[in-house]
C-alpha cells in the first residue's frame, strides 16, 4: 500500500473574502477526507486570494486573516476532519515594520505564509523566502521574507514545504530542505497563466523532482483576479520525472493521488531547517484511486479558456449582473461578444449596434448576424442625429470629428451601464492599444478590456478556432464569416481601412512583440532585418501613443500630482457593502 | 582659508533626455568653476532623470547612459573644466540579469550609480546599496544593489559618497564609510516633495551630521515628473548641526559653500570600503562667498508652488503648447485655472464655460469673472441643445441623465484638445475622487489632474492663500470671492448641493485622511470617536467608488487581461519623434 494519499485543492479564491475562501477549503477537506487522504494542500494565499496588493499593509486585514486561519483549524476539527493534515496559504501579520525614512512611509508588515493545521491547531508555519518583484509580481514591496525552513514528518515521511518562487531559484531553499532527506516536496503556488507557460513550469517541476530524486507535489490556485488569470494545472511528478497526477486548467478541482516516498532517516538537519512531527492516523478504508491526469488542450484553446475565465471571474467577483458592449460588425467586438457569452451565458450579454453615416450595410448586417448567432440582447441606436448638433455647434472636422463619433458611442453604452448596472466592456486589442488607434472616452470607454493583451492576428486566430470548435461540436458558429474575412476598418470616415495607415497586421504584430514586449530597441529591429522606414514608423506610433495618452487623447491613464501613494484596496475586501 | 569649496547643482532633469540633462550639468560646471569650486555634485540620476521606471530594463537605454557619462567627462575636460571634480547620478548597465523563473521575466539589469569625473575620466563609481520599495518608490524592482562603499580623498579630505536612501537606514553604509574617518559626507538624492517633508528630511540630515560630527552635503534634484514633484531644498549642515547653506525649493539653483572638514588620517579602511585618491589643483583666485541660506515659506505656499511646478513641468516636458479646462464657476475649476496661469501664463490657458439648464446665473457670472481676473482665453458653449437629443433618444433619467451632462462637457473640452493640441486638465480634487463623486468620461476626462492629491478643504485654503498673496503684492485676486464662499454644487439637477448627500467637508476630509491615506480600518475610526453611522457611510462610499470605477462608471482605471507586464516607457525617451 502506498505510504501517503495526497489531495491538492485547486480552488478559485476571491481576494479579501476570508469567509468565502474558508468555505472552499472546508468543502475540499470534506471531499479529501471522504476519499481517504492523509494530507490536503491548497494554494498560495488560498485563504485570502492573490495578489492582495496593499491589503498586505492593512493591520486590520492581517489580524482578520490570522483569526481566519485559527478558525479554519477549529472548524476542521469540529467537522470531524481533525486527523487530516491541511496546508493552506495566507498572509501573516502584522509584524514589526521594516521602518525606514519618514514614519508614515508604508512598508512591509506581512509575510506570505503556508500554515499546517492538524487536530484543531496550527502546528507549523512556513514563510516564503523568495519574494518575486518582476513582471506582474510586487511581493518584495509588501512582504517580509522568511528565514526558516520547514520539514513535516508525517507517517514516517519527511515532507518539505515551500511556497511558489522558492522552487524557481537555483541554490534556494529547495536544496537545503531536500538535503534533510525529504521524501516529498510540497509546493503551494499562485502562478498566473502566460502563453506557453506549460513549456516552462512543468519542465521546472520535473527537473527539481529528478535532480533530487524526490516526489514533487505542486498545487496552484485557479481563477481570474483583475488583470491576472491563474490556470491551476496542479501536478504531481515523481523522482523519475513521471507525471503521477495532473489537474485540468481553468477550473476548480480536487486532485487526489497516492504516493510512496522514501521513509525518513535521521540525517541531522541543515541550518535553519526545523522539523515538526505530526502524529496522524491513517484512514482505515481506502478505495483504490483511478488515474487522474488531465491533458492540456492546444495553445489557442488554452488562451480562449483563460480569457473566458478571466472575464467571468471579473464579473462574478465584482457582482455585476451583466455586461454591455458596442457591436460594430468587426472582428474585435465579435470576439468579445463570443467570449462574454461563453463566460456568462448569452442572456447576460447586451450588445448595441450604433451605425453612423459611414457604417456600411455589411457592418450593420454582420452585427445583427452575430447577435442572432449568439442569442444576446441586441439593440440599435443610430448616432447621426446625436453627432450632427455637436459637430455643428463646435465646428469639428478631421480627427476631432472622428473622435466625436467614437465618443458618442462610448456615451451610449456608458448610459446603458449607468441605467441598468451592466459592466461596460471595451473591445480594444493589444495591437490597437499599442499603436494608439483608439479614442479615449470613445471606443476605449469601459471597465474591463477582455482582449487588451491579445494582438490583432491572434484575435483572428481565436475567432477561427472558436468557430471550428463550434462546428466540431455540431453547434452554430458564433462569429459571422464576413467579420473574419473583411478588411478591418474603424468606419469613421468614408472607405477607411486600417491598412491605409498601418503596415500589414502580421508584420506589425511581429514588430510590436519585439519593441513593446521584449523591449528591443529600434537598432535591434533593424538588425533583425525589418525595413528601417517601417521600424521608424511603428516605433514612433508606439511612442506617440503614450504622448497622446498623456494629452488625454487616447488610453486609460490619467496622471496627476500625488504626494504619497494611497492604498489600492482590492475590491472584494468589503465587509459592509 | 577653508579647505574645500563645494557646489551643489540642483537641476531639473527630464527623464530619458540624456543630451538635455548633460547640458544642464555642463552649465552648472561652468558656473561652479567660475566661482572657484573644487567639487560639483548633481543629484541622483541627474543625467537620466528620475524615476526611469522600466527604462532601467532597456539595455539600449543603459548603454546610451553609459556613453553619456563618458562623453560628459570628455566634454568637461575639453571645456577646460577638467580640474573640477564632478559627481553625477545615472543608471549603469546592462549588468548580468538576476535571471529567475521563465527566461522572459523582466528583471533588474541596472544599478543606480553616482560617478566621479575628473580630468576627462570616470575615476570612481558608487552603486546605491539601499533600494527603496515603498510609497512612490519601486527601485528594488528595477535595480541591483551595490556592495562596495566609496571614499574619495580630495585635497587631503576624505569625502564619503552615498546615494539618497543609503542615508535613511540606521546601520547602513553611512556608519561604515564614516568610520573610515571621512570629513565630508556627500549625498546625492532624488527626494520628492511631501507635505511636511521639511520636518523630516532636514532633521535627519542634521542628526547624521551631529552623531558622526561630520559635514553633510545633501543635493537634491528639482522639478515635476509625472505624478511626482522634487522640491530641491539642497542643504549643507556641519557637525554641530548648523546650516551652512540651503537652496530654495522648487527651482533650479547652484548652491556654493565653503567647508572646512577635518583632514584625512590613515585609519585602516573598514571592509568593503574603497578609497580613491583624486589629485586636483585648487583654483587660485577665489572671491569670498556670501551667505546662501534660503528660507522655507509656509505650508500653503509650499504646496501651491509644488502644484505650479508639477503642472508646468508636465506641460513643458511633454511639449504641450497650452491647456484647456472646463470652468463651472466653482472652487475646483477656479483653483486649477489659477494654478495653470501661474504655471504657464494666462495666454496658454483656455477655459470653456458649459452652462446647462441647471446652471445658476451666479455660476455663469463667476466663471466669466474668474476668466477676466486671470486674463485667460474664455469661451461659452451651452450644452442644453446637445444633451436633449441624446436624452430623448436614449430615454435617460436619474444618474444616467446627470452623467450624460457631465460627459457632454468632457466631450467638448476633449474636442478642443483634439482640434488645437491643448493638454486637457481635469479638475477633480482628492475628496471627490476618494468618494467617487465624479463622472468618468465626464468631469474626470483629461490627461492631467492638478489637484487630485488635494482634499477639498485644502482647495479652499489654497484659494484663500492665493488671493491674499495677490493682495499682498498689490495684484488682482485671481479667484472670485463668490467661488470661495458659495456652497459647493455639481449643478446636475435643480438646487443640488454637495452637502445634500455628503457630511461636512471638514469632517469628511479628516475621515478620508485616516481611512484612505493612513489605512485605518472602520474600527479604528469608531474608536477615534467618529459617529459609527457616518463611519459606515463614508467607508462604504470609498469602497463603492472603487466598485463604480470597475464598472466603468467613474475614475480612470481600466482593468483587463494581461498575461505579462509590458514596459511602461517614460514619455521623454523618444530619440525620434
Amino acid at each position: 500500500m502506498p505510504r501517503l494519499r495526497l489531495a491538492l485543492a485547486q480552488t478559485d479564491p476571491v481576494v479579501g473574502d476570508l469567509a468565502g475562501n474558508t468555505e472552499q477549503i472546508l468543502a475540499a477537506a470534506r471531499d479529501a477526507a471522504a476519499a481517504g487522504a492523509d494530507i490536503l494542500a491548497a494554494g498560495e494565499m488560498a485563504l485570502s486570494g492573490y495578489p492582495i496588493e496593499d491589503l498586505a499593509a492593512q493591520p486590520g486585514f492581517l489580524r482578520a486573516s490570522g483569526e481566519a486561519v485559527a478558525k479554519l483549524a477549529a472548524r476542521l476539527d469540529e467537522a470531524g476532519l481533525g486527523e487530516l493534515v491541511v496546508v493552506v496559504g495566507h498572509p501573516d501579520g502584522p509584524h514589526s515594520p521594516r521602518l525606514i525614512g519618514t514614519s508614515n512611509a508604508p512598508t512591509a508588515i506581512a509575510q506570505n505564509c503556508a500554515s499546517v493545521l492538524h487536530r484543531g491547531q496550527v502546528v507549523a508555519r512556513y514563510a516564503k523566502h523568495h519574494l518575486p518583484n518582476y513582471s506582474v509580481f510586487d511581493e518584495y514591496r509588501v512582504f517580509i521574507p522568511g528565514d526558516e525552513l520547514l520539514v513535516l514528518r508525517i507517517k514516517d515521511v519527511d515532507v518539505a514545504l515551500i511556497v511558489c518562487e522558492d522552487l524557481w531559484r537555483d541554490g534556494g531553499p529547495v536544496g537545503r530542505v531536500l538535503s534533510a532527506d525529504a521524501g516529498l516536496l510540497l509546493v503551494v503556488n499562485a502562478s498566473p497563466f502566460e502563453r506557453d507557460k506549460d513549456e516552462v513550469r512543468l519542465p521546472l517541476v520535473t527537473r527539481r523532482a529528478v535532480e533530487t530524486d524526490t516526489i514533487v507535489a505542486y498545487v496552484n490556485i485557479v481563477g481570474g483576479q483583475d488583470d491576472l488569470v491563474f490556470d491551476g494545472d496542479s501536478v504531481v511528478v515523481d523522482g523519475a520525472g513521471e507525471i503521477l497526477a495532473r489537474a485540468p486548467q481553468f477550473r476548480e478541482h480536487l486532485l487526489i493521488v497516492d504516493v510512496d516516498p522514501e521513509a525518513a532517516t535521521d540525517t541531522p538537519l541543515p541550518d535553519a531547517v526545523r522539523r515538526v512531527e505530526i502524529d496522524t492516523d491513517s484512514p482505515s478504508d481506502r478505495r483504490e484511486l483511478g488515474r487522474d491526469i488531465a491533458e492540456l488542450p492546444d495553445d489557442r484553446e488554452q488562451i480562449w479558456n483563460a480569457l473566458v475565465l478571466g472575464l467571468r471571474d471579473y464579473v462574478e467577483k465584482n457582482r455585476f449582473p451583466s455586461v454591455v458592449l458596442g457591436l460594430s460588425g468587426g472582428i474585435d467586438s465579435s470576439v468579445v461578444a463570443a467570449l462574454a457569452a461563453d463566460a456568462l451565458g448569452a442572456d447576460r450579454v447586451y450588445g448595441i449596434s450604433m451605425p453612423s453615416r459611414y457604417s456600411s450595410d455589411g457592418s450593420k448586417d454582420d452585427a445583427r448576424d452575430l447577435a442572432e448567432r449568439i442569442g444576446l440582447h441586441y439593440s440599435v441606436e443610430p448616432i447621426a442625429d446625436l453627432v450632427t448638433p455637436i459637430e455643428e455647434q463646435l465646428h469639428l472636422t478631421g480627427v476631432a470629428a472622428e473622435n466625436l463619433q467614437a465618443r458618442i458611442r462610448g456615451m451610449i453604452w456608458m448610459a446603458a451601464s449607468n441605467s441598468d448596472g451592466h459592466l461596460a466592456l471595451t473591445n480594444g486589442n493589444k495591437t490597437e492599444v499599442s499603436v494608439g488607434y483608439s479614442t479615449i472616452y470613445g471606443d476605449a470607454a469601459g471597465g474591463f478590456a477582455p482582449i487588451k493583451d491579445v494582438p490583432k492576428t491572434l484575435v483572428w486566430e481565436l475567432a477561427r478556432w472558436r468557430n471550428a470548435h463550434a462546428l466540431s461540436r455540431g453547434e452554430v458558429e458564433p462569429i459571422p464569416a464576413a467579420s473574419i474575412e473583411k478588411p478591418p476598418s474603424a468606419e469613421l470616415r468614408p472607405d477607411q481601412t486600417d491598412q491605409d495607415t498601418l503596415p500589414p497586421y502580421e508584420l506589425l504584430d511581429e514588430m510590436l512583440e519585439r519593441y513593446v514586449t521584449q523591449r528591443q530597441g529600434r537598432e535591434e529591429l533593424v538588425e533583425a532585418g525589418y525595413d528601417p522606414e517601417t521600424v521608424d514608423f511603428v516605433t514612433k506610433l508606439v511612442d506617440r501613443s503614450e504622448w497622446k495618452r498623456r494629452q488625454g487623447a487616447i488610453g486609460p491613464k490619467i496622471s496627476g500630482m500625488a504626494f504619497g501613494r494611497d492604498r489600492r484596496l482590492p475590491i472584494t475586501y468589503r465587509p459592509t457593502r
Side-chain angles (χ1 to χ4, degrees), chain A:
Chain A
M1 199 174 87
R3 216 175 276 272
L4 286 176
R5 182 162 286 189
L6 285 184
L8 304 184
Q10 183 168 295
T11 62
D12 184 351
V14 176
V15 163
D17 185 7
L18 298 168
N21 301 336
T22 296
E23 294 303 327
Q24 294 177 348
I25 295 161
L26 278 169
R30 261 178 238 115
D31 293 347
D38 299 295
I39 302 175
L40 171 76
E44 181 179 10
M45 296 274 177
L47 200 63
S48 59
Y50 184 95
I52 59 170
E53 298 188 0
D54 289 11
L55 278 179
Q58 256 192 73
F61 182 71
L62 297 173
R63 278 189 289 266
S65 298
E67 287 158 20
V69 177
K71 203 165 155 190
L72 172 62
R75 286 188 63 193
L76 285 163
D77 201 41
E78 285 159 24
L81 306 168
E83 281 309 308
L84 185 69
V85 177
V86 174
V87 178
V88 62
H90 61 91
D92 182 58
H95 294 278
S96 300
R98 299 181 297 200
L99 252 193
I100 35 176
T102 59
S103 58
N104 61 346
T107 180
I109 54 171
Q111 291 195 308
N112 180 339
C113 285
S115 283
V116 184
L117 316 183
H118 188 237
R119 294 183 186 164
Q121 303 294 320
V122 179
V123 296
R125 179 163 292 168
Y126 171 76
K128 187 174 184 177
H129 282 219
H130 290 297
L131 302 172
N133 209 66
Y134 55 87
S135 181
V136 300
F137 302 107
D138 274 312
E139 291 197 18
Y140 187 81
R141 185 179 178 86
V142 295
F143 293 119
I144 301 167
D147 55 9
E148 196 182 60
L149 295 161
L150 181 64
V151 172
L152 308 169
R153 183 160 294 178
I154 303 173
K155 295 180 73 180
D156 208 29
V157 175
D158 275 352
V159 180
L161 176 62
I162 58 171
V163 178
C164 207
E165 187 80 8
D166 294 331
L167 181 74
W168 293 74
R169 306 285 182 118
D170 285 311
V174 176
R176 271 190 295 148
V177 291
L178 292 177
S179 54
D181 261 356
L184 175 70
L185 177 63
L186 182 58
V187 196
V188 304
N189 305 274
S191 176
F193 176 71
E194 288 169 30
R195 287 190 74 175
D196 306 323
K197 192 152 193 177
D198 51 307
E199 290 170 20
V200 183
R201 201 158 54 191
L202 180 60
L204 175 83
V205 170
T206 306
R207 178 154 61 85
R208 291 287 188 244
V210 171
E211 70 193 12
T212 59
D213 191 21
T214 303
I215 297 166
V216 178
Y218 181 100
V219 56
N220 193 15
I221 60 170
V222 70
Q225 184 66 44
D226 296 350
D227 290 4
L228 301 178
V229 62
F230 299 90
D231 54 335
D233 198 15
S234 303
V235 70
V236 180
V237 175
D238 71 15
E242 209 60 36
I243 295 180
L244 303 181
R246 185 172 198 176
Q249 278 187 315
F250 302 118
R251 52 189 181 85
E252 296 187 280
H253 188 76
L254 185 66
L255 187 70
I256 305 180
V257 62
D258 287 328
V259 293
D260 205 3
E262 283 187 30
T265 60
D266 275 316
T267 318
L269 290 174
D271 278 356
V273 180
R274 198 160 71 94
R275 185 181 289 135
V276 174
E277 307 256 352
I278 300 178
D279 171 30
T280 186
D281 292 336
S282 221
S284 48
D285 54 335
R286 277 180 180 161
R287 283 194 223 166
E288 204 151 307
L289 292 175
R291 175 187 155 93
D292 189 3
I293 304 185
E295 295 284 330
L296 283 196
D298 81 4
D299 188 39
R300 288 159 313 166
E301 184 164 353
Q302 288 188 38
I303 294 170
W304 187 270
N305 291 341
L307 295 171
V308 165
L309 181 57
L311 175 55
R312 180 191 300 137
D313 272 0
Y314 192 83
V315 169
E316 303 295 9
K317 291 180 180 181
N318 287 297
R319 303 181 214 173
F320 292 112
S322 46
V323 297
V324 65
L325 75 162
L327 298 181
S328 71
I331 186 68
D332 296 326
S333 60
S334 300
V335 165
V336 172
L339 282 168
D342 283 359
L344 307 168
D347 197 45
R348 295 171 70 188
V349 181
Y350 291 76
I352 313 178
S353 164
M354 292 160 287
S356 76
R357 68 191 84 142
Y358 306 119
S359 299
S360 64
D361 289 339
S363 293
K364 296 179 221 175
D365 294 345
D366 295 340
R368 174 177 304 276
D369 185 14
L370 171 88
E372 284 169 2
R373 287 166 174 274
I374 291 178
L376 50 77
H377 300 271
Y378 181 68
S379 60
V380 181
E381 295 290 353
I383 64 169
D385 294 346
L386 312 180
V387 168
T388 306
I390 303 176
E391 210 173 58
E392 288 178 355
Q393 179 172 326
L394 302 177
H395 312 289
L396 299 181
T397 56
V399 169
E402 292 184 25
N403 284 336
L404 173 66
Q405 296 173 59
R407 290 196 181 117
I408 289 287
R409 290 191 174 119
M411 191 180 277
I412 290 173
W413 67 74
M414 289 311 302
S417 166
N418 291 163
S419 296
D420 299 323
H422 314 300
L423 167 67
L425 299 181
T426 173
N427 300 326
N429 62 63
K430 184 172 188 165
T431 307
E432 176 180 297
V433 170
S434 299
V435 297
Y437 272 38
S438 71
T439 302
I440 194 173
Y441 319 132
D443 51 285
F448 194 82
I451 58 171
K452 86 165 184 191
D453 207 23
V454 181
K456 187 81 176 186
T457 47
L458 182 57
V459 175
W460 275 304
E461 270 187 56
L462 291 175
R464 293 203 169 92
W465 173 83
R466 182 63 185 81
N467 275 359
H469 183 68
L471 273 187
S472 75
R473 305 202 298 180
E475 295 167 0
V476 176
E477 297 171 280
I479 299 165
S483 299
I484 303 179
E485 301 305 335
K486 69 187 170 188
S489 166
E491 295 195 329
L492 292 171
R493 56 175 184 263
D495 303 320
Q496 183 182 27
T497 77
D498 294 5
Q499 260 55 66
D500 297 345
T501 43
L502 287 177
Y505 276 114
E506 289 70 21
L507 177 64
L508 181 58
D509 280 351
E510 269 183 43
M511 294 172 74
L512 293 174
E513 167 66 20
R514 289 171 181 266
Y515 189 63
V516 175
T517 305
Q518 296 175 21
R519 297 155 195 256
Q520 294 183 9
R522 189 195 164 283
E523 303 70 24
E524 286 156 290
L525 267 77
V526 172
E527 273 167 36
Y530 295 96
D531 166 52
E533 253 180 73
T534 312
V535 169
D536 283 343
F537 178 79
V538 169
T539 56
K540 267 193 202 175
L541 271 183
V542 172
D543 296 349
R544 197 164 161 80
S545 80
E546 171 60 20
W547 184 80
K548 291 197 285 176
R549 183 171 295 121
R550 283 163 178 253
Q551 187 188 24
I554 60 150
K557 190 181 166 194
I558 295 185
S559 283
M561 303 296 312
F563 299 141
R565 181 183 280 186
D566 294 334
R567 69 174 172 187
R568 298 166 292 169
L569 191 67
I571 184 60
T572 38
Y573 182 52
R574 232 174 313 107
T576 52
R577 181 162 95 201

